[in-house]
Every structure is written in structure tokens, then in C-alpha cells.
Amino acid sequence: MDLQHWLGRANDAIQQWAGTFGPYEQHPSLLVDDDRFAAAFEELTGRLKDNYPFFHPRYAGQMLKPPHPAAVVGHLATMLINPNNHALDGGPATARMEREAVAHLAAMFGYDTHLGHLTTSGTIANLEALFVARELHPGRGIAYSADAHYTHGRMCHVLGMKGYPVPTDDRGRISLDALEDILRTGEVGTVVLTAGTTGLGAIDPIHDALALRERHGVRLHVDAAYGGFFTLLAGAEGPEGLAPQPWRAIAQCDSIVVDPHKHGLQPYGCGAVLFRDPEVGRFYLHDSPYTYFTSSELHLGEISLECSRAGASAAALWLTFQVLPPTPEGLGRVLGAGRRAALDWAGLITASDELELYQQPELDIVSYFPTVEPAALGAIDAASARVLAEGMTGPDPVFLSTLKADRDAFTTRHPKVTADADGARVLRSVLMKPESEDHVHRLHEQGARPHGPRPAPADWAPSVDSPPANACWTGTATSPSGKPRPGCGCATAPSIRWPRRLRTWCAA
């Protein structure tokens, strides 16, 4: 798809349509000299270079990637008109596109009936879901995983509700036993279940939580802002396939949030909220005497807490779904590539002597940390920070991110690590670009390079292979798994874990 060509076609199409209404002169106050604009534009493009290469597979840090060209063209073409989807008189065409796109999302999750709309973010979408939860269960709080997105605690505060963080298991999933203890108090009206936590990509056991709803009479809200589109891989063949049970259970939950601006290939500013029961629309009831006047049909603003919303976002999503629908054969292929990339990298890390998995990836987020001796939280934290910084500044840079794991979470997963600190940063890579699948080995090579000296092992003792005091070495070492590794360092601070096996030494 030639983006430059279609951007030109988009502009031409809108200008041709605009011309059917007759000529008019632009007001002089809006006129800008080309030379003046050129200077400002040059500064803009120069300042935009102060960004990380989110588009490139060497960027494996946060949840950032460029929108699909179809989304760019749809957004730009519609932005030239600038419709507002709050009311049908503000965006008749894009309001219909929004309904169609939202219907695709509802079908993707298995909803037979639904009420829903796009939002400017997952945060606002979750706010709306919790707002409806408050109206249905006044005076009762919200329970959510301790690893759920922080927005749930914040929105509880905004809505004047009590939040109940629930402990997680050793895979970062909500503990149903701990949850049921809280539900027995009768103080919780809604449970938030996360389909893909933003930290680790963990999937709460949604299918098992259905029984808790029946026993305790609570609503179930699924925050699938990050992971929702992975439902397209539920039960799929191949390594990328996911266990279908939690994903199929989403259809029985009361509300869902998903962010098309993550795995739906959209520009930022595109979230969505869906309700299984359309009757919850009564909680949005209001009047706007100067907007709802051109149609007796439902205006999207009548079922949204937001007022003005960009019609361009709806058009971009609609156009994307025309060419890459939210089906296993459409967007599912995009999601599958990122999932395979995560599994491939996890395999490389498992076989590595320089890195260790923090936990096995469930979606496309890989968490890992440098191996250090002795294995302690403080040293792991420092080594992770060093890998992050050196990776970005090297001659062949890679861009990673970190996740702070607290002491209990870390030692539960890795009981042999000494807990000498409150927690430690681990490295975190989000492989949401399908191109990552072909770049994993390069990312691994860069991330697994020795990054500065490491403390000498606690069991270090002189041997026939040991160097003289204060000597440095260079050459090839053999790892415990039998793999040759080039290396260099000093006896007082070896930079790899297996210095006794070195065969070549050099004087300091």
C-alpha cells in the first residue's frame, strides 16, 4: 500500500466533494505565508526526531507502534471534514461507521446483543464501565487484581467507590480464592478481570470467575484494553494458539473494554466500551437541546459520558476493518506474529546463560533479567538498568523498557534469588509489531551482551585455570550448557558467570 499515493487521493477526494458546495474565499485571518509555514514546519519535523523509533522492530519497549496506513488515510481524509460523533447532526456518516466498527468488536467477543461506542482511551472506557457498575450496585465497591491497570483504583476514587485490590498468583493472575474471601463480605458489586495485564500480559481466569458471579451476585467487567484482540488466537493451531477457555468466557461477562489504538492498528485516541445488556443505556439519559435535533435515531452522545469525539477515529477504524477485519484470518495474523516472536525470544532466553525469564509470556510481552552472581535483587536491579541504558546508547541500539517487580512477586517466581531489596527492575519487551518475529534473534543478541562487570561469584576459589592476582583475561569461555562464548574481564570482577573455564588470559 503506497501511503503517499493514498494520502494524495484522500486530499483530492475531500476537495472534490467540498467543491460541490460552491466556491468561497478563505478569511484573511487564516492565511499563512508559505515561507513562514516552512520555517515552522522545519522546526516541527526537527523536534519530532526527538523520539524513539517506535515504528522499527529494534524498538521493543513500551506499547507503541505506528498505525496501519489504512488507518492513517482514513483518519486524515475524515479530519479534513472534522466531524463530531457526539450527535448525528455533527457526524452522520462517521456515526454510522462507528456503529458498524463497534458491531465488529462486539462480534469478535461473541456478544449477541450489545450497546457500545468508541472512546478517546481505555481509561475513559473503563470509567464508563465502572460508572454503570456504580449505578447498578450503589454503595458497593469494585474488586480488581493487584496487577490490574492502575486506572481502576483511580477511577474508583473519581466515582466515590471503594476499590479492593486482590492478590495475584505466581503468574500475575487474580487469585480467585482471595477474591472470594472479599466477595463474601457483600461489599463488592463488580469484579474487574483483566485479559492481558499491561505489565506482563497475564490473563485472569475469566472462565473460572463465572461461578463466583452466580454465587455472589456480582457483575463481571473485562478490561481487555491491551489483550482483547488476542481473542482472535483462542484455540488457533500453531504455537501462537491460546487456550480458548478465558476468551470464550468473555461473551458471558457484563462489559468489556478494548483499545483499538493498541492491537487494532489505530492512532492513539481510540478506545471502546461494550455492554452486553443494551438497557444500561438508561444510566446515560440526558438532554442536549442544541444538538439532538436532526434525527430520531439514537445519537452516540446519548450513550457516552464524553461529549465531543472525533469522527475521524471512527472512520479510521472502519476503513482498517474493511481491509484487515477483526477475524483470525485478518488481524489474527498480525497478532500471531507478535505472539510467535515472544515465544521465540522466550526460548532463546531459556537457553541463554546471560539472561533469565522472569516468567513465561502469555501474549506478546517478554519479561527477563540479566543473570548475576550472587543472584540478589539489588544486583539484578542494577544490571537491568545498565542493559536498558547501554542498549539505547550503543552503536547498534535496541530500545527496551523495565518493570518494577516487588520482593514477594520476584522471590515467588525465583526463590533462589536473595531478597536484599524491596524489589528489582526486570527488563520488559513488548513485541506488538509483527516485524518483531524476524528481528528476535538480533534483539536477543543485543540484550544478551555482557553489560559491564559483574560481582565475582561467592564460591570463587583458586584453581589450575585461575589467573594470577589482578590479571585480566580475553578469549573464549565455555558456558555450563557447553556453548562457547567470547569474553573478557578481570579476575577481581568477572563479567560472566563461568570464569573458571576460560583458557586464555592476558596481563592487566
Side-chain angles (χ1 to χ4, degrees):
M1 180 177 171
D2 185 339
L3 178 59
Q4 186 171 356
H5 167 77
W6 288 107
L7 288 176
R9 287 282 299 273
N11 182 62
D12 291 344
I14 299 305
Q15 296 307 321
Q16 183 178 4
W17 168 78
T20 64
F21 295 93
Y24 69 96
E25 293 293 329
Q26 189 177 39
H27 192 274
S29 65
L30 300 175
L31 298 178
V32 176
D33 179 81
D34 275 344
D35 289 339
R36 183 180 180 185
F37 180 79
F41 183 75
E42 184 176 358
E43 182 179 356
L44 168 70
T45 54
R47 295 182 71 167
L48 286 176
K49 293 175 183 177
D50 185 22
N51 269 305
Y52 298 115
F54 307 128
F55 61 91
H56 199 284
R58 72 168 64 241
Y59 182 86
Q62 303 289 2
M63 297 169 173
L64 293 164
K65 66 178 179 181
H68 191 275
V72 174
V73 173
H75 200 281
L76 182 138
T78 312
M79 187 177 59
L80 294 173
I81 302 172
N82 203 26
N84 180 352
N85 274 17
H86 175 68
L88 287 171
D89 46 286
T94 50
R96 287 189 289 271
M97 292 180 194
E98 179 168 342
R99 286 200 184 92
E100 293 172 26
V102 168
H104 278 299
L105 293 173
M108 180 179 76
F109 289 113
Y111 270 5
D112 294 326
T113 61
H114 73 277
L115 182 77
H117 58 273
L118 300 181
T119 64
T120 53
S121 68
T123 297
I124 297 300
N126 276 306
L127 171 64
E128 297 212 13
L130 299 188
F131 160 72
V132 168
R134 185 191 68 180
E135 300 305 295
L136 285 166
H137 292 293
R140 297 170 71 183
I142 306 291
Y144 46 86
S145 155
D147 283 1
H149 198 279
Y150 60 83
T151 191
H152 297 293
R154 294 175 68 188
M155 292 305 107
C156 283
H157 177 70
V158 169
L159 292 167
M161 306 169 73
K162 186 174 180 180
Y164 295 83
V166 182
T168 58
D169 64 15
D170 60 0
R171 291 169 58 187
R173 305 173 305 172
I174 193 170
S175 167
L176 295 185
D177 290 338
L179 173 61
E180 186 152 32
D181 288 342
I182 295 173
L183 295 183
R184 288 192 184 102
T185 67
E187 296 177 359
V188 169
T190 297
V191 174
V192 176
L193 301 166
T194 305
T197 58
T198 49
L200 296 168
I203 304 162
D204 284 342
I206 301 167
H207 52 301
D208 293 328
L210 294 175
L212 297 182
R213 177 176 62 183
E214 303 309 316
R215 286 201 292 271
H216 299 282
V218 295
R219 286 175 59 81
L220 296 182
H221 167 60
V222 177
D223 181 1
Y226 182 71
F229 283 93
F230 279 96
T231 192
L232 300 173
L233 301 182
E237 296 181 356
E240 67 270 26
L242 296 169
Q245 293 87 347
W247 304 100
R248 300 288 184 257
I250 292 176
Q252 300 178 59
C253 295
D254 299 288
S255 55
I256 309 166
V257 160
V258 64
D259 277 355
H261 64 214
K262 292 191 173 76
H263 282 107
L265 306 180
Q266 298 306 292
Y268 267 98
C270 187
V273 61
L274 304 166
F275 298 97
R276 189 174 60 157
D277 180 9
E279 291 300 316
V280 302
R282 67 187 186 275
F283 297 118
Y284 291 96
L285 187 64
H286 68 282
D287 187 28
S288 178
Y290 57 88
T291 54
Y292 307 139
F293 59 82
T294 61
S295 174
S296 59
E297 294 182 44
L298 180 71
H299 299 261
L300 291 171
E302 296 180 89
I303 55 167
S304 170
L305 293 183
E306 292 181 273
C307 294
S308 297
R309 293 180 304 109
S313 293
L317 183 61
W318 180 90
L319 184 58
T320 303
F321 281 176
Q322 302 311 298
V323 294
L324 286 172
T327 62
E329 300 76 21
L331 280 175
R333 296 175 59 217
V334 180
L335 276 290
R339 167 79 175 136
R340 290 192 299 270
L343 294 175
D344 289 348
W345 198 353
L348 292 172
I349 292 170
T350 300
S352 169
D353 295 300
E354 292 83 14
L355 299 173
E356 185 169 349
L357 275 179
Y358 178 67
Q359 75 172 47
Q360 186 69 20
E362 293 194 54
L363 298 178
D364 59 1
I365 300 175
V366 185
S367 55
Y368 51 101
F369 56 91
T371 53
V372 296
E373 295 291 349
L377 291 179
I380 289 170
D381 181 81
S384 295
R386 188 164 57 245
V387 172
L388 175 71
E390 293 181 4
M392 291 189 293
T393 57
D396 188 21
V398 294
F399 301 86
L400 312 174
S401 65
T402 58
L403 170 74
K404 183 65 178 287
D406 65 39
R407 180 203 307 254
D408 291 340
F410 206 116
T411 55
T412 296
R413 292 168 172 83
H414 301 276
K416 294 183 179 180
V417 172
T418 301
D420 63 343
D422 292 335
R425 283 169 287 182
V426 298
L427 296 162
R428 171 178 168 272
S429 292
V430 181
L431 304 180
M432 64 191 306
K433 294 182 285 291
E435 295 84 1
S436 298
E437 187 173 16
D438 297 325
H439 211 76
V440 161
H441 283 77
R442 186 172 183 180
L443 287 170
H444 179 72
E445 289 171 2
Q446 294 296 97
R449 290 179 306 177
H451 290 270
R454 301 182 183 178
D459 62 349
W460 174 265
S463 72
V464 294
D465 294 324
S466 298
N470 299 320
C472 294
W473 47 264
T474 184
T476 300
T478 303
S479 73
S481 62
K483 295 179 291 187
R485 288 285 189 274
C488 61
C490 296
T492 54
S495 66
I496 49 179
R497 297 169 62 192
W498 11 267
R500 291 182 186 175
R501 299 181 180 228
L502 289 163
R503 292 294 180 265
T504 304
W505 299 89
C506 59

